[in-house]
Amino acid sequence: MPRQAVFLRGINLGRNRRVPMAQLREALDAYGDVVTHGQSGNVVLDAKPSGRALERELEQVLAERLGLETRVVVRSRAELAKVVDRNPLAQVAANPSRYLVTFLAERPAAASAKALRGDFGAEQAVLHGKDVYSWHPDGLQRSKLMALITDGLGTVGTARNWNTVTKLLALASD
C-alpha cells in the first residue's frame, strides 16, 4: 500500500484542539504502519486512496473517533519527494526553521497566486501547483507574506518548516 504524508491543520496550537499523538495513531490504526512526527499533526501512514478522497476519509475518521473537526491535507510519498527535490529557495533559505512549505488543499486561482509576487521585503515565496515555498528570514510573527498565504489564496493550507518536511519524507521512505 502506498505511503502517504498527512498534515492536520491547526491542532495542538497553544491550548486549543489538543490531541495526544498516541491517541491520533490509535484513531488511525486501520491505516497500517502509522507514524507521527512532532506534536502538530504530522502523520505518515499506508492508504490506497489518495488526494482528496483520502483527505475526506481521514477527516471523517478523526471526527468520529476523536471528535476532531479539522482539515486534512495529503501528499503521497512521491509528491512529497518532488516537493523536497524542487526546493526553489535553496539558495536563499539559510535557516530551515524559517523556510516553510504550505501544503494547500487546492490550487489557488491565478489572481490570488499573483499576489505572492508582491513586495515582501526580504521574504520570498514560490508557488508550485498546490505547494507554496516561503522564506521568512525575520520569522513569522509579523510576516505579511505568511498572512497572505494563510488568508489570501482562497484555499485551506497548512505550513511545515523545512526540517519537518524532510523528516516526513524520510519517514515515508522507510
Side-chain angles (χ1 to χ4, degrees):
M1 218 162 314
R3 295 295 276 167
Q4 310 277 345
V6 176
F7 306 95
L8 280 63
R9 186 170 191 270
I11 68 163
N12 293 351
L13 298 174
R15 294 181 188 186
N16 296 328
R17 299 162 46 98
R18 304 297 299 169
V19 179
M21 293 301 101
Q23 190 177 0
L24 178 60
R25 286 189 300 275
E26 184 178 315
L28 300 174
D29 65 356
Y31 295 93
D33 183 21
V34 178
V35 179
T36 56
H37 174 67
Q39 295 295 315
S40 58
N42 304 303
V43 181
V44 175
L45 49 72
D46 301 320
K48 188 170 183 174
S50 61
R52 190 62 191 132
L54 180 57
E55 291 168 357
R56 283 188 192 112
E57 185 177 304
L58 292 171
E59 288 167 359
Q60 184 175 353
V61 167
L62 294 171
E64 290 172 1
R65 299 210 51 200
L66 299 177
L68 179 65
E69 300 285 336
T70 191
R71 283 298 301 267
V72 173
V73 179
V74 171
R75 296 293 185 269
S76 70
R77 188 237 164 261
E79 290 170 326
L80 193 58
K82 288 179 183 176
V83 165
V84 171
D85 289 344
R86 198 170 290 118
N87 194 5
L89 297 174
Q91 298 303 315
V92 296
N95 180 343
S97 67
R98 293 185 177 192
Y99 182 27
L100 304 181
V101 178
T102 301
F103 299 96
L104 303 174
E106 294 97 26
R107 281 179 177 237
S112 297
K114 187 177 180 180
L116 290 171
R117 291 184 251 149
D119 181 7
F120 297 98
E123 294 184 300
Q124 297 181 41
V126 174
L127 172 67
H128 192 279
K130 297 190 300 182
D131 305 309
V132 180
Y133 300 80
S134 57
W135 168 234
H136 307 274
D138 298 323
L140 294 171
Q141 187 106 13
R142 295 188 180 106
S143 172
K144 290 180 182 177
L145 177 59
M146 197 63 202
L148 171 67
I149 293 168
T150 303
D151 299 323
L153 295 179
T155 184
V156 171
T158 186
R160 300 298 188 269
N161 73 36
W162 195 251
N163 291 326
T164 298
V165 172
T166 57
K167 179 63 177 180
L168 287 170
L169 177 59
L171 291 171
S173 299
D174 287 345

